[in-house]
Amino acid sequence: MEERPDLGNVMAMISFAAVVSTGGFSNAANLLGYSKAAVSRQIAKLEQSIGVRLLERTTRSVSLTPAGREMYARCARIVDEVNEANQIITGMVSKPRGDLKVNAPVVSSLFDLTAIIPRFLQAYPDVRLFLNLSDSHVGMLKGRFDVAFWMGDPPDSSFEYVLLRDYPMALIAAPAYLAKTGKPHTPHDLKDHTFIIETHLSKVGEWRLSDDVSVTVNRGPLTSNSVRMAREAALQGLGISYLPRFLVEEDIAANRLEPLLTDVVSESIPLHIIFPRGNFALSKVRAFVDFVRENMRPDKPDASAPLLALAHDLKS
């Protein structure tokens, strides 16, 4: 059974954050429009409610206890979200700020996100970005992130999305593997081969090589939802894999991997930014989406790919 939130503490938390951020009870009272005594009562109520002392008070100063430092980090976020919510309601969102939780694939450095994100934070210093690198979709689907980079088709209509670009796929294998098994010359030849199956980008049991060519894949030593793991297994000669070409481009150039059926494979995987419906109204999300789209490196494939239309209600 879920505990009911103690809504009575919300104002106390805001008062506590104001005392810390302004440096004292009098300044906090002026900021909030309350009396100094009222602010003091709110802090006392909060300390009594959680059972720990948050502030050390002297006649000249106020300082945080260890528990107070931990509490302030959370209360400050509450204040940020309340402020931004008020701005949205009144239609006055103008400056991105607050916490922004972002999920990205583990290989995000290969499409420049690790370079773009620091530049975004320099441009928007009032945003605190929490970046989680994971090839799993679970966190985004459970609402743990404000925005996520998503390779493949967007999940469902509860999300809005922007297409950044398409990445061509490549069917690849190590020369050592091909020396043992021979090279497939047609899609039909793949039935005699061993596969390294990556489930993050492809349907389980099927690789779509082009608009009209799909092959069944159900035999191999490794099935993983990680493109990085699949690449490493291919480099070790464990079988044929099907991965974004940018991920293996250097391996192909160095003859560590060989592309297969290049006259057949024409499929591309789209890279989207996705976000829960309505999140684009948040200035921090809108600023991040626009910044990433504008700063994706132009020498990548299909850099001029147009934006996918956002949901109709976003346009109106």
Side-chain angles (χ1 to χ4, degrees):
M1 183 177 178
E2 293 185 0
E3 294 184 4
R4 289 185 177 181
D6 187 353
L7 300 180
N9 271 349
V10 173
M11 192 59 231
M13 291 178 180
I14 292 174
S15 298
F16 171 67
V19 169
V20 177
S21 64
T22 63
F25 284 80
S26 296
N27 293 335
N30 291 333
L31 177 67
L32 298 173
Y34 295 149
S35 68
K36 182 178 177 181
V39 172
S40 181
R41 284 194 298 271
Q42 290 289 346
I43 304 301
K45 174 187 174 184
L46 181 60
E47 290 178 327
Q48 183 178 7
S49 174
I50 61 178
V52 294
R53 194 171 185 82
L54 300 174
L55 296 172
E56 296 291 353
R57 306 163 178 83
T58 69
T59 55
R60 294 185 177 181
S61 66
V62 175
S63 61
L64 287 167
T65 66
R69 284 192 294 272
E70 187 73 19
M71 176 63 80
Y72 177 66
R74 287 157 174 76
C75 291
R77 291 202 295 271
I78 292 172
V79 172
D80 283 344
E81 294 303 323
V82 168
N83 287 337
E84 185 154 350
N86 286 335
Q87 290 176 327
I88 291 171
I89 291 169
T90 58
M92 296 187 297
V93 175
S94 60
K95 186 176 182 181
R97 61 176 298 147
D99 294 342
L100 181 66
K101 294 173 287 184
V102 178
N103 191 70
V106 174
V107 294
S108 60
S109 61
L110 296 176
F111 41 79
D112 287 347
L113 294 185
T114 52
I116 290 172
I117 285 174
R119 296 201 298 269
F120 169 78
L121 293 174
Q122 289 176 331
Y124 296 98
D126 291 328
V127 174
R128 293 182 298 270
L129 192 146
F130 295 82
L131 177 64
N132 181 69
L133 296 180
S134 172
D135 288 331
S136 172
H137 287 161
V138 173
M140 188 65 196
L141 294 175
K142 289 188 175 181
R144 296 173 185 164
F145 301 101
D146 299 307
V147 63
F149 293 87
W150 188 284
M151 295 197 75
D153 295 330
D156 57 51
S157 60
S158 64
F159 292 90
E160 293 163 333
Y161 52 91
V162 170
L163 174 65
L164 295 174
R165 69 184 53 167
D166 292 311
Y167 288 98
M169 296 291 286
L171 194 68
I172 50 89
Y177 169 82
L178 297 174
K180 292 185 297 183
T181 64
K183 187 186 300 185
H185 296 288
T186 69
H188 181 73
D189 294 341
L190 290 172
K191 65 181 177 60
D192 299 320
H193 284 267
T194 300
F195 303 115
I196 300 164
I197 301 171
E198 197 284 321
T199 61
H200 184 68
L201 301 179
S202 302
K203 291 182 180 179
V204 176
E206 179 184 278
W207 286 344
R208 183 174 177 177
L209 304 183
S210 66
D211 286 343
D212 53 1
V213 178
S214 296
V215 295
T216 300
V217 287
N218 54 18
R219 182 180 65 184
L222 175 68
T223 298
S224 171
N225 69 344
S226 168
V227 292
R228 186 182 293 274
M229 186 71 251
R231 170 183 171 270
E232 290 296 332
L235 286 169
Q236 295 299 320
L238 295 181
I240 295 174
S241 196
Y242 191 46
L243 298 171
R245 190 177 180 97
F246 80 88
L247 179 67
V248 295
E249 196 72 68
E250 292 183 4
D251 299 316
I252 293 172
N255 297 316
R256 294 187 293 266
L257 292 173
E258 184 174 341
L260 306 171
L261 303 182
T262 55
D263 59 332
V264 175
V265 176
S266 61
E267 186 73 359
S268 292
I269 293 294
L271 173 65
H272 296 96
I273 292 184
I274 72 169
F275 33 89
R277 185 167 295 279
N279 267 22
F280 200 71
L282 297 172
S283 58
K284 60 186 178 183
V285 170
R286 190 166 60 251
F288 184 73
V289 170
D290 289 343
F291 191 91
V292 171
R293 178 174 55 83
E294 293 168 6
N295 284 273
M296 274 287 189
R297 196 163 62 196
D299 61 342
K300 288 290 187 182
D302 296 321
S304 60
L307 284 181
L308 257 169
L310 295 180
H312 176 73
D313 59 344
L314 265 185
K315 290 182 176 181
S316 58

